[in-house]
Each structure stands twice: as structure tokens, then as C-alpha cells.
């Protein structure tokens, strides 16, 4: 059973920004190609139609191919994009905490997989012999059918094939697109022609339409925004190999669904998918913040996993995280194991997935997130060290500022209970000074004293502490040392530290 999350795909800020850029290009008169990973078109609960609906809503007026209500196979759609295969509590709602924004210092290693070699690029589509698709029409027939449907939608059916010289397809193409420029009363058709490429039968048809749309507009001498333009939504499997790179050099804006969501998107999904805290105490709120930051760091751009894990991982203990993640991954449709290999990749994700990443990208096994390549969370199930690094990142991000604030407050205790002159205390246990810093007041130097130095001064008898203050300093010191050495805190250590920070 699928349980929807509390937020839909098109409501996320990263998604709205990317679609706004696409819509802006169309409004500026450019033709556009939106490339989606195959998993978002063909997978369960695929959001391709939801994305397209959002774009069409912004456009207002358009020509849709294939038109709605045709006999084509109905696409897989979803009310929301972030389905969780695990049951979320009926009371799931915003926990009351702001999303915890985490960061990534690149500790996680990256993987790669070698795809089949792309065919050598040659002449434009339809010029090298229109091979017949297996079980479908030839490329020429597919293009002719696409143009025929376009002519019907814009009421240009009459006279689309005037020639009987055997050229057929080229005559029909030239006539339909040329008449699209002139349209009625000499005015060009300016409504965007929107093509759902995954419903077209031949890869060359939509790509050829994009190129010819640009060409006939230029030939007519029309300025941007005054001529026909097209939006093709497709996967790389729906196009000829190398076509997106060719279009970049032309007047077509290519938008890859790559690096769309960021840390804010993931943190928002996690916060909305968590059950409400069972206590309003500050220490419970802080523990929840660490839990949410950990889920965000582990799941990255894979929002369906983040939503499901947020609902599943109830206790937030690092020790129980692997089992919770395994249960989520086993329920969700995870990528094939060969796409989760340990082979490292370049750290820079680039503007779009390169050729070596296309199989993994299409299978939703790798994504660009926060300026780095991120692999599917299933990878961590066989790599305990990598998982520990991500948990450490989350703990360090949330707790380090609080540890530093606690250290600063404790300097008041050190000064108030000093057994030796502050000048000597600062010189012996404070940070090292340059020669030109001899005039710095001792109190200032004590304010910058590290917790390890404070503990050493206490052990040497430089100042006195009550039993409670001694326990506090030791807990803060131990936690700070572990995080400084990139070691995560286990559940008990985390609970002890949070209790001490919030007392």
C-alpha cells in the first residue's frame, strides 16, 4: 500500500524554481527540451504528467500532443510525487521544528557505471535512411503522423500534402510547419506546441520537430516570441543519442532534470513526514533536530526514501538506522545492484549527467544535490563507513554550534573559580599568542580557551569545580573530541550530551 506524503512534488521550492526557468524560456520565445530520467516517466507513481500539468497551467494557452483524451495508453500518474511505501502515522503533520539544513563536505565516495557506447553522430535525423522501429512505424511515418496531429490541433488539415512526386514526408513537413508560421490571416501560431515525447513512437520525430520549428521561424524572419515554439518533454531513450548536446548549439533551451532539489527540499519533506514530538522539552526538540538532519544527509535528493525513512525511523538512534533504512529500501523499488557500485566518480556533477552517468540517472540511482553527486541511499547498506560519515556530518552540523556556545558560557565558571592569577591561567592554558599580541587581556584569552585545555587546567588544580560542573565539562569535552575526530555519537552518548546541553 502506498501512503502519500504531506507535500507534493510541484510544491517544493527547487521544483518550482526549475519549472519557472523553463516557463520563462518559453515565454521569451525559445523552444525547449525538458529531459526527465526514465524512472520519473515509467516508474510507479511517475510524476511526468504532474510536472507537465504545472507547466501547462503557467502557460495558459498551448497545443498538446498527443492531445488529452486520445486513445493512447494512459500514463502513470500520482496525486503526489513523494509516495512512501511505509505507513505514515495518521497524525503525521509538521513537527513544529524548522527544517534542519545540513551540509556536505564531500566525505561520501561516489560511484560510476559504464553505459553502452553511444552510436557515432552523423547526419541529422531522417537523412540516413529511416529505419523502422521494432514493432512500430518508421521514422518518416512517425514524423508524418506527428505533423498530421499538429495540423489537426491548429486547424491546418487542409492541403498538407499537395505533392505526388514521391517525396511525401518532406512536402508534408514543409507545408505544415510553413503554414504554422503564416497560420491564419498571415499571423503566426504563437501558442507553444507541447509534445509528450515518451508517447511518440520514433526517437527522431520530436527532435526533428524541434530543429525544424527553429529553422522555419528564422526563415520567416520572426523575432523571438512572435513565432512558433515547441516544448518537448522526453527521456534520453525517447531521443536519438547525442541530440541534447547538438541542440545546445542551436536555439533550443535544454533543461535536464538534474540537481533540481536541494537541501531545503529534502529537509522540508523530512520535517513534514516526521510524527510530532512527544514532548515540548528543549532536549526532545534538539534530539529531533539531529534525527531530521541525519535523514536529510543520508537520503539527499532521494525524497521518496527520505519521506519513508522519516516515518519509519522512530527512535532516531544511530544504532537502529541501518535496519530502518534497509526496511525502507526493501519496500521501495531500489535501483539494480550494478548501479550502486563503489567505483568513485568525479566530485563535480556538472550541468547535466554525462554519458557515463546516464544509465544510473535514468534509473534514479544517482543525482546532483548541493553541488555534489549523490548515490541512492541503498548504497549505504553495504558501506557502514560511508553511512557513519553521513551521520557524523549531521551530528556535527547541529551540535557543533551548541558545543561552542556551551564552551563560551563555561569560561565564566573558569574565571570565577580560578586558583591562580588569570594572567598565569591564560598563559599556561589559553591559545598560543603571537609576539604582537602581548597586550591582550587575560580574560579575552580565557574566553577562547578550548574545552580540552579547560579540563587539563582543572586536573592541574588551576581552578575548582563543583561535581555538577565537572560532569558538565567532561561530557562537553568528550563529545567535542569525538566529533573533532570525525567519530559519530551513539544513541546513549547523544542522549547524554543533549540532556547536558539543555540543562
Amino acid at each position: 500500500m502506498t501512503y502519500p506524503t504531506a507535500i507534493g512534488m510541484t510544491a517544493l521550492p527547487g521544483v518550482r524554481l526549475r519549472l519557472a526557468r523553463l516557463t520563462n524560456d518559453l515565454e521569451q520565445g525559445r523552444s525547449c527540451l525538458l529531459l526527465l530520467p526514465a524512472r520519473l516517466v515509467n516508474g510507479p507513481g511517475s510524476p511526468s504528467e504532474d510536472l507537465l500539468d504545472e507547466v501547462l497551467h503557467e502557460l495558459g494557452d498551448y497545443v498538446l500532443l498527443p492531445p488529452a483524451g486520445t486513445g493512447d495508453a494512459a500514463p502513470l500518474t500520482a496525486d503526489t510525487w513523494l509516495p512512501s511505501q511505509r505507513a505514515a502515522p495518521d497524525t503525521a503533520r509538521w513537527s513544529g521544528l524548522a527544517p534542519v539544513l545540513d551540509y556536505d563536505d564531500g566525505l561520501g565516495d561516489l560511484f560510476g557505471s559504464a553505459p553502452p557506447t553511444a552510436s557515432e553522430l552523423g547526419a541529422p535525423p531522417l537523412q540516413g535512411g529511416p529505419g523502422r522501429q521494432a514493432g512500430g512505424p518508421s521514422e518518416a511515418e512517425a514524423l508524418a503522423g506527428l505533423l498530421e496531429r499538429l495540423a489537426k490541433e491548429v486547424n491546418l488539415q487542409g492541403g498538407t500534402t499537395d505533392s505526388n512526386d514521391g517525396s511525401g514526408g518532406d512536402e508534408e513537413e514543409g507545408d505544415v510547419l510553413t503554414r504554422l508560421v503564416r497560420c491564419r490571416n498571415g499571423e503566426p501560431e504563437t501558442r507553444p506546441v507541447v509534445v509528450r515525447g515518451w508517447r511518440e513512437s520514433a526517437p527522431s520525430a520530436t527532435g526533428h520537430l524541434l530543429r525544424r520549428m527553429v529553422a522555419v521561424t528564422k526563415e520567416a524572419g520572426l523575432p523571438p516570441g512572435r513565432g512558433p515554439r515547441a516544448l518537448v518533454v522526453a527521456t534520453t531513450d525517447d531521443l536519438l543519442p547525442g541530440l541534447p548536446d547538438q541542440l545546445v548549439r542551436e536555439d533550443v533551451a535544454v533543461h535536464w532534470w538534474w540537481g533540481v532539489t536541494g537541501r531545503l527540499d529534502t529537509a522540508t519533506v523530512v520535517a513534514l513526514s516526521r510524527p510530532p514530538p512527544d514532548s515540548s522539552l528543549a532536549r526532545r526538540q534538539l534530539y529531533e533536530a539531529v534525527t531530521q538532519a541525519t535523514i536529510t544527509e543520508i537520503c539527499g535528493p532521494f525524497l521518496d526514501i527520505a519521506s519513508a525513512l522519516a516515518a519509519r525511523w522512530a527512535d532516531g538512534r544511530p544504532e537502529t538506522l541501518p535496519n530502518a533504512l534497509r526496511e525502507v529500501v526493501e519496500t521501495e523499488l531500489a535501483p539494480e545492484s550494478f548501479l550502486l557500485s563503489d567505483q568513485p566518480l568525479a566530485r563535480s556533477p556538472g550541468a547535466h549527467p554525462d554519458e557515463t552517468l546516464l544509465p544510473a540517472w535514468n534509473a534514479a540511482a544517482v543525482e546532483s544535490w548541493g553541488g555534489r553527486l549523490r548515490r541512492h541511499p541503498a548504497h549505504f547498506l553495504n558501506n557502514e563507513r560511508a553511512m557513519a560519515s553521513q551521520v557524523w556530518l549531521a551530528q556535527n552540523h547541529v551540535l557543533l554550534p551548541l558545543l561552542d556556545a556551551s564552551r563560551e558560557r563555561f569560561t565564566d565558571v573558569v574565571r570565577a573559580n580560578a586558583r591562580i592569577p588569570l594572567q598565569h591561567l591564560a598563559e599556561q592554558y589559553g591559545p598560543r599568542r603571537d609576539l604582537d599580541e602581548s597586550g591582550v587581556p587575560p580574560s579575552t584569552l580565557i574566553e577562547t580557551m578550548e574545552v580540552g585545555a579547560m579540563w587539563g587546567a582543572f586536573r592541574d588544580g588551576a581552578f575548582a569545580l563543583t561535581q555538577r560542573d565537572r560532569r558538565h565539562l567532561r561530557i562537553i569535552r568528550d563529545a567535542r573530541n569525538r566529533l573533532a575526530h570525525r567519530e559519530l555519537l551513539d544513541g546513549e552518548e547523544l542522549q547524554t550530551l543533549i540532556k547536558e546541553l539543555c540543562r
Side-chain angles (χ1 to χ4, degrees), residues 284-326:
R284 179 57 189 167
Q285 299 289 313
L286 179 53
Y287 190 82
E288 176 66 15
V290 175
T291 301
Q292 292 188 22
T294 302
I295 298 171
T296 299
E297 191 59 52
I298 287 291
C299 297
F302 300 92
L303 305 185
D304 52 346
I305 304 296
S307 175
L309 184 59
R312 164 64 59 175
W313 190 33
D315 61 15
R317 296 175 62 88
E319 301 93 312
T320 62
L321 175 59
N323 286 338
L325 180 59
R326 182 172 288 104

Side-chain angles (χ1 to χ4, degrees), residues 16 19-20 23 27 52-61:
R16 295 190 67 84
L19 295 182
T23 304
E27 290 175 346
L52 186 56
D53 285 347
E54 189 71 14
V55 174
L56 298 181
H57 175 74
E58 295 298 323
L59 292 178
D61 199 8

